Amino acid sequence: MSSPSLAYISSISRLFKSTTLTKGLVTELLAENDWKNVLSILKERNFIEDIPATFDDAEIEIKRRAIDQIYKILNFSSSVKSAHDIVDLYYYYLTLDEFKSIIAGIYNKSRPSKIVFLSKISESNPTTIEELRSIIRGTIYSNALEYALSKNPRNLSQLESLLDFYFIDKLSSIIDTFKGDWKAAAEAIICGYKDYYSASLAIRQKIVIPLTCKILPDTIRDLQSSKMEEVANILRRTQYSRNIELGDAYSALYSLYRLARIEARKASIYAFMGSPFTPVTALAISELIKLDMEDLIMIINGLKIKMNKEAIKSRLSLEII
């Protein structure tokens, strides 16, 4: 990788970082009681172009901004393969819900609705997995589908979980090719996700793929063979025990995911403080864009259902005192 190419992708990443959420803006948004007022502020700050009339449309607009940004970075990163592959995985992640809806439509013999970002695939109207394979051949969706199918899923739920897992598995494989400070900085961003996805897959689907960071592979195998009421006690043996809720399996998993998001945001911001010539900045900005999207949707959804403000804060990746 040449220094000019790395400098270019780093400068592009830093440019997009200037448009990410700040604690000040999130505090301002949380001061509102009406989710539509939040949209007005976001329009003033150029986060969205128009003020949607419905919550569903608002969610699409926030998601569209994130996907558009990722797509632009994807085009800018073509000269650095590792950076390009990382950003492509984030594009996959942000559009995965629609891809899973298309697959669910095939399984359930129904036409998925509200496909906005993968309309070309949906409009081809695949009715079998083989037809879908033909339509998506040569894309990241094809790679993900083949990965999931190679694990011999027994049902749609397992297939969808494996499509989720592909994101972190492939991302980890790319980062494994890094060395030294690059690898350490990138690993810090995805560490919690590796543990969460592996634990979630073992608990919910009884599938063991021990791709972990702080959790031991043996612990993942224990989670796979455990009953739901035993999950909290097993997670109590991990390094996360003091920082996650251990009342039941689902609250433990949710808090583990939230902790992974908090640590990913911190590590992503820190990545911009190191070497100016590194593909890790492409990973960091992609993660920040994803986290911003998720946090904004959580804020407007929380306000819409009249959730307590402290409860909303407790679900964000950006920590607000």
Side-chain angles (χ1 to χ4, degrees):
M1 287 177 277
S2 67
S3 292
S5 295
L6 289 173
Y8 180 68
I9 189 58
S10 294
S11 65
I12 292 297
S13 299
R14 291 174 190 279
L15 177 63
F16 277 90
K17 182 179 179 294
S18 67
T19 68
T20 56
L21 282 178
T22 63
K23 288 187 178 181
L25 177 55
V26 171
T27 300
E28 183 180 352
L29 298 178
L30 288 172
E32 299 294 333
N33 294 315
D34 189 330
W35 65 276
K36 292 185 178 179
N37 291 342
V38 167
L39 297 180
S40 296
I41 295 172
L42 292 177
K43 184 177 185 299
E44 291 172 6
R45 301 296 184 87
N46 296 316
F47 272 78
I48 56 176
E49 293 183 2
D50 300 301
I51 299 178
T54 68
F55 174 79
D56 287 346
D57 289 341
E59 186 171 346
I60 288 172
E61 281 306 304
I62 291 171
K63 200 168 187 179
R64 189 191 307 279
R65 175 183 185 265
I67 290 172
D68 286 349
Q69 286 185 313
I70 290 292
Y71 188 72
K72 289 176 182 175
I73 298 170
L74 185 64
N75 289 332
F76 287 133
S77 64
S78 58
S79 61
V80 180
K81 186 179 186 305
S82 59
H84 184 272
D85 289 348
I86 286 169
V87 181
D88 198 24
L89 279 167
Y90 275 87
Y91 188 87
Y92 165 80
Y93 178 94
L94 295 182
T95 55
L96 181 54
D97 282 348
E98 291 196 349
F99 187 52
K100 290 192 290 189
S101 292
I102 292 169
I103 292 175
I106 293 173
Y107 271 72
N108 299 325
K109 301 187 184 305
S110 62
R111 188 74 182 268
S113 59
K114 293 186 178 179
I115 302 297
V116 178
F117 306 105
L118 298 182
S119 57
K120 289 184 179 179
I121 298 175
S122 179
E123 287 166 3
S124 298
N125 195 26
T127 58
T128 67
I129 291 296
E130 287 306 315
E131 288 181 8
L132 179 61
R133 276 173 153 164
S134 177
I135 292 166
I136 63 176
R137 186 174 292 117
T139 69
I140 193 169
Y141 304 100
S142 175
N143 296 338
L145 181 59
E146 296 308 318
Y147 170 91
L149 292 174
S150 73
K151 307 297 182 184
N152 300 313
R154 294 195 301 270
N155 49 48
L156 176 60
S157 178
Q158 284 194 349
L159 176 60
E160 290 180 334
S161 292
L162 288 164
L163 289 171
D164 288 331
F165 199 87
Y166 172 78
F167 167 75
I168 193 62
D169 198 344
K170 181 64 176 177
L171 191 58
S172 181
S173 295
I174 296 170
I175 290 170
D176 280 344
T177 66
F178 293 173
K179 297 184 185 301
D181 292 343
W182 287 10
K183 186 171 184 178
E187 278 287 342
I189 294 172
I190 70 165
C191 176
Y193 289 132
K194 290 165 69 172
D195 289 334
Y196 165 76
Y197 278 103
S198 291
S200 179
L201 195 64
I203 293 166
R204 290 176 166 148
Q205 302 297 353
K206 301 304 178 183
I207 297 174
V208 174
I209 305 179
L211 178 71
T212 59
C213 181
K214 296 179 182 178
I215 294 180
L216 296 174
D218 283 348
T219 301
I220 298 299
R221 284 185 277 273
D222 289 344
L223 289 171
Q224 184 262 346
S225 61
S226 70
K227 297 177 181 179
M228 293 301 284
E229 58 268 23
E230 298 171 334
V231 166
N233 282 334
I234 294 172
L235 290 175
R236 193 170 279 113
R237 308 198 308 251
T238 70
Q239 293 184 39
Y240 295 107
S241 60
R242 294 183 179 180
N243 299 307
I244 61 175
E245 297 178 21
L246 293 168
D248 59 75
Y250 292 106
S251 63
L253 275 177
Y254 183 83
S255 59
L256 181 60
Y257 182 59
R258 195 235 170 180
L259 184 62
R261 295 176 69 245
I262 290 172
E263 293 305 317
R265 182 177 284 277
K266 291 178 180 177
S268 294
I269 292 172
Y270 183 77
F272 286 94
M273 301 176 186
S275 169
F277 307 128
T278 167
V280 180
T281 54
L283 167 64
I285 189 56
S286 298
E287 179 63 25
L288 288 173
I289 289 170
K290 174 180 78 72
L291 292 172
D292 282 0
M293 179 198 76
E294 293 169 344
D295 283 354
L296 287 174
I297 290 174
M298 174 55 69
I299 289 170
I300 63 172
N301 184 55
L303 293 176
K304 180 176 179 289
I305 64 175
K306 307 298 182 183
M307 184 183 290
N308 178 280
K309 298 286 182 70
E310 292 304 315
I312 297 175
K313 288 180 184 179
S314 72
R315 288 163 170 76
L316 302 179
S317 67
L318 205 161
E319 294 181 290
I320 304 295
I321 304 299

